[in-house]
Amino acid sequence: MIGLAGLFRSVQLLAGVLLVIGTLTSAAVAARTTVTDVRLGIHADKTRFVMEVSEKPDFRLFYLNNPYRIVIDMQELDWEVPDSKGRTSAGLVQQYRYGLFRRGTSRVVLDFKQPVKVLKQVILPPGEGKPYRFFIDIQKTSDGEFQQAVEASRNVQLASLPKETKTVAEIIKNQKHTIVVDAGHGGIDPGAIGKSGVHEKKLTLAVAQRLARILKSRGDYNVVMTRDDDTFLSLKERVNVARNVKADLFISVHADSIGRADVRGSTVYTLSETASDKEAEALASSHNKSDIIAGVDLDEQDDTVQGILIDLAQRETMNFSVKFAKYLIPEIAQSGMKLGSRSHRFAGFRVLKAPDVPSVLVELGYLSNRQDEKILKSDNGQEKLARSIAAAVDKYFGTIKP
Ligand SMILES: [Zn+2]
């Protein structure tokens, strides 16, 4: 179950503005369930997915389309197994991953190249020195049967979905500008992985928290973070946070990774129907896959990954986004971080799609480059980058005359 505390965690006001949200129950400190093993068993006629867990798992299983996926949600789990972005394929399973979906719910997502069905879902009680074992047996099936399973499990999926963030009471509007700081990725979606193994989601959160703290200390802004811990939010939820608080600016913080270790520097992205270049297009499409990684049903979303349709109102918003990008780029250059070869690019990022909120996505640097990674991992580098973004915010709003 998703507690109230979990719901409201994502919209935390840092500017001393009180959010009227009724009574909050504090997050219960329940006994934690630990996962000690996750594995696949390959048989001639089926593939078995197995988890060993310390407490009886309370699970919900559902099917998702495009690509073929099986999602298993359980109570929040501690993973005493190596963190994984994606385990390699075995049997029918193309890859799988696991992690926190949101407070109170951990998630496993299994990807398949072909339609499959679950023959059996079993919880074995502890015995023979083993803890609880949860397993499912998976077999090939027809596409038609898979589609039926997707439909039949839709209610299970809906039960797993968080309540819309719009249930959060709106900010008491005052004269202050409202800024939403969005730490990219989180929870089950680690984002890019650095040379040293560091996860992008950790660095984006660190810089976002610093940025929120700096902006808050200015006293001129209401500051809202989309996430303030290691949980996942869908792209739509991130956009909704910005819309629900009627944000004046949305800043999504990321760090990129590419195949070439020599490429480095920051790049600022804004929304556009057509991408500025191939690399920007590829980056947008990989970021737009965040929801697929985390087992979110794209059929439920109001636009598709590919189709970014931009209306007239949005065009004006886009002009403001570009204006902010133009303040941001020189500030980043002054922070000591190199700028990318083309410091402002544009593409169809779904997370930038709020029609009424100027939005930018900043790729702070490349985790595939050792120097950039070092800066991004250091306190000093993170603080300088956060300060440079805050300085651009000041200039954009005219808090400090440029
Ligand atoms: Zn990212």
Side-chain angles (χ1 to χ4, degrees), residues 185 200 254-255 287 363:
H185 310 278
E200 178 187 349
H254 286 260
H287 276 90
E363 291 283 354

PDB file of all heavy atoms in Angstrom, residues 185 200 254-255 287 363, ligand 1:
ATOM      1  N   HIS A 185      15.580  10.154 -13.163  1.00  0.00           N
ATOM      2  CA  HIS A 185      15.611   8.719 -12.830  1.00  0.00           C
ATOM      3  C   HIS A 185      15.278   8.485 -11.348  1.00  0.00           C
ATOM      4  O   HIS A 185      14.686   9.334 -10.723  1.00  0.00           O
ATOM      5  CB  HIS A 185      16.953   8.104 -13.227  1.00  0.00           C
ATOM      6  CG  HIS A 185      17.318   8.459 -14.639  1.00  0.00           C
ATOM      7  ND1 HIS A 185      16.830   7.790 -15.728  1.00  0.00           N
ATOM      8  CD2 HIS A 185      18.082   9.474 -15.135  1.00  0.00           C
ATOM      9  CE1 HIS A 185      17.289   8.347 -16.843  1.00  0.00           C
ATOM     10  NE2 HIS A 185      18.053   9.381 -16.504  1.00  0.00           N
ATOM     11  N   GLU A 200      23.600   7.312 -12.304  1.00  0.00           N
ATOM     12  CA  GLU A 200      23.144   8.678 -12.589  1.00  0.00           C
ATOM     13  C   GLU A 200      22.105   9.156 -11.579  1.00  0.00           C
ATOM     14  O   GLU A 200      22.141  10.299 -11.134  1.00  0.00           O
ATOM     15  CB  GLU A 200      22.560   8.715 -14.014  1.00  0.00           C
ATOM     16  CG  GLU A 200      22.013  10.075 -14.401  1.00  0.00           C
ATOM     17  CD  GLU A 200      21.272  10.066 -15.742  1.00  0.00           C
ATOM     18  OE1 GLU A 200      21.365   9.055 -16.460  1.00  0.00           O
ATOM     19  OE2 GLU A 200      20.611  11.069 -16.044  1.00  0.00           O
ATOM     20  N   HIS A 254      20.125  15.863 -15.148  1.00  0.00           N
ATOM     21  CA  HIS A 254      20.598  14.560 -15.638  1.00  0.00           C
ATOM     22  C   HIS A 254      22.113  14.544 -15.828  1.00  0.00           C
ATOM     23  O   HIS A 254      22.772  15.585 -15.751  1.00  0.00           O
ATOM     24  CB  HIS A 254      19.937  14.241 -16.987  1.00  0.00           C
ATOM     25  CG  HIS A 254      18.512  13.864 -16.860  1.00  0.00           C
ATOM     26  ND1 HIS A 254      18.085  12.572 -16.877  1.00  0.00           N
ATOM     27  CD2 HIS A 254      17.410  14.631 -16.669  1.00  0.00           C
ATOM     28  CE1 HIS A 254      16.780  12.543 -16.718  1.00  0.00           C
ATOM     29  NE2 HIS A 254      16.328  13.785 -16.587  1.00  0.00           N
ATOM     30  N   ALA A 255      22.642  13.367 -16.093  1.00  0.00           N
ATOM     31  CA  ALA A 255      24.040  13.216 -16.502  1.00  0.00           C
ATOM     32  C   ALA A 255      24.058  12.116 -17.550  1.00  0.00           C
ATOM     33  O   ALA A 255      23.484  11.054 -17.357  1.00  0.00           O
ATOM     34  CB  ALA A 255      24.910  12.847 -15.315  1.00  0.00           C
ATOM     35  N   HIS A 287      15.717   8.648 -22.909  1.00  0.00           N
ATOM     36  CA  HIS A 287      15.069   9.151 -21.686  1.00  0.00           C
ATOM     37  C   HIS A 287      13.580   8.852 -21.668  1.00  0.00           C
ATOM     38  O   HIS A 287      13.014   8.605 -20.614  1.00  0.00           O
ATOM     39  CB  HIS A 287      15.314  10.645 -21.518  1.00  0.00           C
ATOM     40  CG  HIS A 287      16.617  10.922 -20.853  1.00  0.00           C
ATOM     41  ND1 HIS A 287      17.775  11.086 -21.552  1.00  0.00           N
ATOM     42  CD2 HIS A 287      16.947  10.996 -19.548  1.00  0.00           C
ATOM     43  CE1 HIS A 287      18.765  11.273 -20.705  1.00  0.00           C
ATOM     44  NE2 HIS A 287      18.299  11.215 -19.480  1.00  0.00           N
ATOM     45  N   GLU A 363      21.879  18.205 -18.998  1.00  0.00           N
ATOM     46  CA  GLU A 363      22.805  17.076 -18.866  1.00  0.00           C
ATOM     47  C   GLU A 363      24.086  17.698 -18.330  1.00  0.00           C
ATOM     48  O   GLU A 363      24.790  18.399 -19.049  1.00  0.00           O
ATOM     49  CB  GLU A 363      23.065  16.426 -20.229  1.00  0.00           C
ATOM     50  CG  GLU A 363      21.880  15.683 -20.813  1.00  0.00           C
ATOM     51  CD  GLU A 363      21.637  14.315 -20.186  1.00  0.00           C
ATOM     52  OE1 GLU A 363      22.461  13.863 -19.361  1.00  0.00           O
ATOM     53  OE2 GLU A 363      20.614  13.706 -20.518  1.00  0.00           O
TER      54      GLU A 363
HETATM   55 ZN    ZN B   1      19.258  10.865 -17.483  1.00  0.00          ZN
END
